[in-house]
Amino acid sequence: MNDRPLELGLDTFGDISRGPDGSLQSDAQTIRNVVDQAVLADEVGLSFFGVGEHHRKDFAVTSPEIVLAAAAARTKNIHLGTAVTVLSSDDPVRVFERFSTLDAVSNGRAEVILGRGSFIESFPLFGYDLRDYEQLFEEKLELFSLLLDEKPVTWSGRTRAALEDADVYPKTENGLKAWVGVGGSPESVVRAARYGYGLVLAIIGGSSARFRPFADLYRRSLEEFGKPQMPISVHSPGHIAATDQQAWEEAYEGVAALNNTIGRERGWPEYNRLRFQHDVGPEGSMYIGSPETVARKIAATVRALGNTRFQLKFASGSISHDRLLSSIELYGTRVLPLVHEMLAETETAGIR
């Protein structure tokens, strides 16, 4: 087990909410709902609230930093970040400026999770060539790493204009916490270690135990690069209700619809109840169920990977705002203490 205390957090992509009558709400209302969800997450003692960046009709949030700034004004303790910022189709200097500004207005609670994104809409939207997919991320991650030192930067590459002794503002008071989100590529894991970023493993298929080699590779790579050991987080979808059956019924329609929408684009088979029941089971990647069921699954993940944060992607497909609020409340008030109890029992029993 890792010596760092476990944090529980939440992620959302701003999936379009449903109203009390079941109808889809507007993008604007969904964004206001996300801010309310962050406020509740803070009130129930969660550690992190992440908002994803997407540029498609399924999700309302294209500018996470603005949503997070609104949440910062209404929260006190919770850390606020992205899940993820698509660095490849953005500018590293502007990303740093936006997040150092967010860090100021949140009194040091900003975090940035950088990634290539699981969708490609932002590339043509902002004029990037998908043939440069790998080089865009590699070069921009290198530049962002230099910017994190908050000193004048000299840099050159092929994907943006060179910088010579360029200073970037505003400066933060205590540095900006940065992570890289990966989907299970060994090369991506090693790259995160090489630049000294925290690692977020996006586990959206299969058992979390299958990702133990990536956690081991990351820790080994940090040591080989002469970097201090950094935290590992896990991002996986989930939903919580009073009972397993209630949680499954509340979540299934939205999960199936989202999977089928993406599946039609990527050639996946039609989603069904049998697949869903596997995904919510012990060997699946969805943390959907009662507080006890979800807590057991999170504790098992921590035992397998030694991660120090777990980020529940709590909205997967359209679901009503009131059900999302209920899920958040159960996560903070029931799941959080249960997970800590289960892990404490593991430590007492001497299980590693």
Side-chain angles (χ1 to χ4, degrees):
M1 298 289 290
N2 198 302
D3 292 333
R4 296 173 185 263
L6 178 69
E7 299 177 343
L8 291 192
L10 290 166
D11 289 338
T12 179
F13 296 165
D15 306 58
I16 303 301
S17 304
R18 291 193 180 273
D21 62 352
S23 63
L24 290 174
Q25 296 186 313
S26 66
D27 291 347
Q29 185 59 54
T30 297
I31 289 170
R32 291 190 288 268
N33 290 347
V34 168
V35 176
D36 289 341
Q37 291 155 12
V39 172
L40 178 59
D42 186 47
E43 291 173 352
V44 297
L46 297 173
S47 298
F48 177 77
F49 192 85
V51 179
E53 172 199 346
H54 293 87
H55 303 271
R56 51 185 291 138
K57 67 178 182 179
D58 311 278
F59 311 113
V61 179
T62 59
S63 301
E65 304 91 341
I66 296 177
V67 179
L68 294 168
R74 295 178 54 196
T75 57
K76 296 179 180 178
N77 300 309
I78 197 166
H79 280 225
L80 302 163
T82 44
V84 299
T85 292
V86 185
L87 185 64
S88 305
S89 57
D90 210 327
D91 183 84
V93 173
R94 294 294 290 139
V95 172
F96 178 84
E97 289 174 340
R98 296 197 302 264
F99 275 91
S100 60
T101 301
L102 176 64
D103 199 62
V105 299
S106 67
N107 196 24
R109 292 184 284 135
E111 301 186 14
V112 58
I113 302 177
L114 306 168
R116 291 182 288 186
S118 58
F119 297 97
I120 61 172
E121 288 84 2
S122 63
F123 289 83
L125 188 64
F126 300 123
Y128 292 98
D129 192 331
L130 279 170
R131 289 175 295 185
D132 296 330
Y133 187 80
E134 292 292 340
Q135 188 171 16
L136 281 164
F137 190 66
E138 181 69 49
E139 287 194 0
K140 292 185 177 188
L141 190 66
E142 177 189 45
L143 175 53
F144 196 84
S145 301
L146 297 174
L147 294 168
L148 286 174
D149 290 335
E150 304 194 31
K151 299 175 182 177
V153 169
T154 297
W155 176 92
S156 64
R158 191 176 70 82
T159 57
R160 81 173 307 281
L163 297 174
E164 184 173 352
D165 204 30
D167 220 353
V168 178
Y169 303 94
K171 306 296 185 183
T172 67
E173 293 174 322
N174 295 294
L176 181 63
K177 190 170 185 178
W179 309 67
V180 170
V182 305
S185 160
E187 294 79 12
S188 296
V189 171
V190 172
R191 178 166 47 209
R194 184 168 75 248
Y195 290 117
Y197 289 95
L199 181 72
V200 180
L201 289 169
I203 302 178
I204 56 175
S207 168
S208 59
R210 294 192 306 110
F211 286 73
R212 179 59 187 258
F214 297 108
D216 291 342
L217 174 63
Y218 174 67
R219 295 186 178 104
R220 188 167 63 249
S221 298
L222 285 169
E223 185 174 349
E224 291 173 355
F225 289 126
K227 304 288 187 181
Q229 287 299 309
M230 300 292 290
I232 295 176
S233 185
V234 169
H235 158 105
S236 287
H239 179 70
I240 306 158
T243 67
D244 287 347
Q245 191 66 41
Q246 181 182 347
W248 298 340
E249 291 305 314
E250 288 181 357
Y252 176 74
E253 183 179 352
V255 167
L258 183 60
N259 270 270
N260 287 332
T261 296
I262 299 171
R264 283 189 290 272
E265 300 170 2
R266 302 183 181 182
W268 299 348
E270 191 80 4
Y271 199 78
N272 56 46
R273 284 276 184 181
L274 186 62
R275 169 71 184 280
F276 179 76
Q277 290 306 139
H278 172 270
D279 288 344
V280 302
E283 298 303 312
S285 62
M286 291 186 178
Y287 295 68
I288 299 177
S290 68
E292 293 77 14
T293 295
V294 172
R296 280 194 299 270
K297 200 165 182 177
I298 293 173
T301 295
V302 175
R303 294 186 192 109
L305 302 180
N307 52 299
T308 56
R309 180 185 284 174
F310 182 86
Q311 296 168 214
L312 185 80
K313 200 274 182 180
F314 69 97
S316 295
S318 296
I319 190 170
S320 66
H321 177 50
D322 62 329
R323 287 177 174 175
L324 293 177
L325 292 176
S326 177
S327 180
I328 292 168
E329 184 169 10
L330 289 170
Y331 188 53
T333 61
R334 297 281 305 282
V335 174
L336 177 61
L338 280 171
V339 172
H340 284 151
E341 287 175 16
M342 292 173 183
L343 293 176
E345 291 170 1
T346 299
E347 291 290 338
T348 300
I351 300 172
R352 300 290 178 182

